[in-house]
Each structure stands twice: as structure tokens, then as C-alpha cells.
Amino acid sequence: MGGKDNYAVDREAGDAFAAISPGVFDLARQSRQFLIRTVNYLATEAGVRQFLDIGTGLPTMDNTHEVAQRAAPDARVVYVDNDPLVLAHARALLTNTTDEGVTDYIDVDFHDPDQIVADARNVLNFTKPVAVMFMGVLGHVADYDEVRSIVAGVMAAVPSGSYLVLWDGTDTSEEQVTAADDYKDTGAVAYIVRSPEQLARCFEGLEMVEPGLVSISRWRPDPAQDDEKPVDGYGAVARKP
Ligand SMILES: C[S@@+](CC[C@H](N)C(=O)[O-])C[C@H]1O[C@@H](n2cnc3c(N)ncnc32)[C@H](O)[C@@H]1O
């Protein structure tokens, strides 16, 4: 992705995954470009000023608050994660980039959407639009029905005019399916890749923003800058009517 906070054991795991599914490098890079383009779209064209980024990850290049506050200095961003290492990095690195903006971090297990909303209310105003983000995180949830109920639980708490941004790894290549299976067999926390149709159903009841659910490299790419070769990750932006 271009970040610098990573560990030898993770690099080794990444290389082992890539030996089976070389597309994972493009997927990782494209996932950050998708985040940059979608957050930019929300902060500029859609005029959203509040972001709830669920499953923060280790800070890397162009984190959500940096992209949002570059476009809208008064943007308020709440990150949610439950990994102690992510928390330690977040405290050190995820700080406001502007005087007007707010960046906060809450330590919540995302299996509990009510708790996410209860804690986020301390920083975000839930009578105004919120962009709810699930960026490459829901593969950690084993049960597909629970995936849908987590997304629906948070979206039920935000007002009309709010947005859902979601992407996840997909079963769109044999290589990625095999690598994900092998990864699970190592005893690591499994990551379940799902079909584009399963991801599409997470957006039910919402209005898709063009171009709808696509391989993330094809979501409003900048032809001068972005490689539009499809990757095994699908995502979309949709508005709550
Ligand atoms: C693959 S990373 C995605 C990071 C980031 N969204 C991105 O786009 O780069 C998944 C993140 O989800 C977090 N996570 C996994 N299970 C979680 C849970 N039950 N509750 C909260 N966060 C969780 C992990 O700690 C990790 O930071």
C-alpha cells in the first residue's frame, strides 16, 4: 500500500500468500486507491463531513482522516478497531491534520454494532449524514448473515443522506480462493472471501452511486493515474434514501 508500519512476520505471511495468489499485491494497492477516491468523492461531491471507519488497520499512507480533512478541513473521523496493536499505533499516528477537524479512535468489537454507534455518538452527530466504511474487514466475520446484520445495524442508526462504503476480497479467482483457504489452515484468523453477489446484498435498501458494485480498481478510476485491471476485491458507495 505504501505504508511503513509492518512486521517481518506479516511480510513473510504476505509473501507466502502471494506465492499462490500474486494478485494480492495489486489488490492491496488498489484498496488504498479505492479508499482515497471514495473518501474524496464523499467529502467533495457528496458533501459528507462525518466518517465512521470500521476496522481501521495499522496506519498506512493516506489514512481516511488525512484524505477527508485534505478535502474538507472540518471533517470528523471516528476509527473503530479491537486489535491492541492497532490501538497503540492509532494513538501515536491518527491525529488531526487540521485545527477544525476531529479524529478519534474507539476500541470496540465490530460484532457489536450497537456499541459502535453508542461510542461514536460522543464524537459524531447522528442527526447529520455519516459515511459508514467497511473497507476490507468483513471477511473476518465467519457467518454471512452476521455480516449483513452488522452492516444493517450501523446503517439503521444513521440518518437519510448517509452513505455506506464497503469493499471486500472476492472469490473471483481460483488463486485467491486457494490462498485464503491455505491461510485459514495455518491457524491464522481466517479471512473469508465472498462472491460479488453476496457483497451486493449488503447494500439492499440503499441507492447505489455510479458505477455500482465493481472491482475496486474500476470504481471511478482516474484514467491518467489508475490501473483499471480488475482485482479480486469488489466495492461500492451507496446512499441511504
Ligand atoms: C484487513 S484490515 C483492513 C484495514 C483498513 N480498513 C484498510 O482498508 O486498510 C482488517 C482490520 O479489521 C480489524 N478487525 C478484525 N476483527 C475485528 C473485530 N471483531 N472488531 C473490530 N475490528 C476488527 C483488524 O484488527 C484489522 O485492523
Side-chain angles (χ1 to χ4, degrees):
M1 276 184 189
K4 61 175 182 48
D5 296 296
N6 48 65
Y7 294 88
V9 64
D10 298 322
R11 291 193 290 274
E12 224 175 282
D15 287 343
F17 194 102
I20 301 169
S21 186
V24 73
F25 291 130
D26 277 344
L27 176 61
R29 290 190 199 103
Q30 288 291 347
S31 74
R32 186 54 37 165
Q33 297 308 314
F34 176 74
L35 182 146
I36 294 167
R37 293 196 302 270
T38 53
V39 171
N40 251 326
Y41 164 81
L42 291 163
T44 54
E45 284 183 56
V48 176
R49 290 292 174 271
Q50 308 191 95
F51 295 81
L52 181 56
D53 187 353
I54 301 170
T56 320
L58 289 183
T60 178
M61 57 91 79
D62 272 352
N63 302 292
T64 299
H65 69 292
E66 292 164 327
V67 180
Q69 290 170 353
R70 199 154 60 218
D74 57 339
R76 303 172 81 83
V77 180
V78 173
Y79 290 103
V80 183
D81 211 287
N82 73 342
D83 183 324
L85 198 58
V86 173
L87 175 62
H89 278 269
R91 287 219 172 98
L93 288 176
L94 300 178
T95 52
N96 279 348
T97 53
T98 59
D99 289 341
E100 312 93 297
V102 173
T103 306
D104 205 351
Y105 181 93
I106 58 179
D107 185 6
V108 181
D109 183 332
F110 61 51
H111 289 86
D112 189 350
D114 292 344
Q115 193 62 49
I116 293 176
V117 172
D119 287 6
R121 271 190 206 285
N122 294 325
V123 178
L124 304 181
N125 177 349
F126 277 71
T127 66
K128 299 221 170 108
V130 178
V132 177
M133 304 170 60
F134 290 97
M135 308 296 262
V137 299
L138 289 168
H140 283 302
V141 180
D143 182 60
Y144 173 66
D145 288 338
E146 193 178 4
V147 167
R148 292 193 59 189
S149 71
I150 291 170
V151 174
V154 180
M155 291 311 292
V158 295
S160 167
S162 293
Y163 286 83
L164 172 65
V165 195
L166 182 155
W167 82 266
D168 221 336
T170 47
D171 61 1
T172 39
S173 76
E174 214 34 60
E175 291 86 353
Q176 178 145 285
V177 171
T178 306
D181 277 348
D182 284 15
Y183 181 68
K184 182 176 69 197
D185 292 343
T186 65
V189 179
Y191 202 91
I192 297 160
V193 292
R194 297 201 152 91
S195 67
E197 293 72 26
Q198 284 177 313
L199 297 183
R201 284 202 290 278
C202 295
F203 292 88
E204 256 172 34
L206 305 174
E207 296 162 350
M208 281 288 187
V209 169
E210 284 299 316
L213 184 85
V214 288
S215 177
I216 52 176
S217 54
R218 296 192 163 164
W219 197 91
R220 303 193 178 205
D222 174 352
Q225 191 188 326
D226 295 310
D227 178 2
E228 298 176 43
K229 196 167 60 151
V231 291
D232 294 317
Y234 275 61
V237 177
R239 182 179 180 279
K240 182 168 174 173

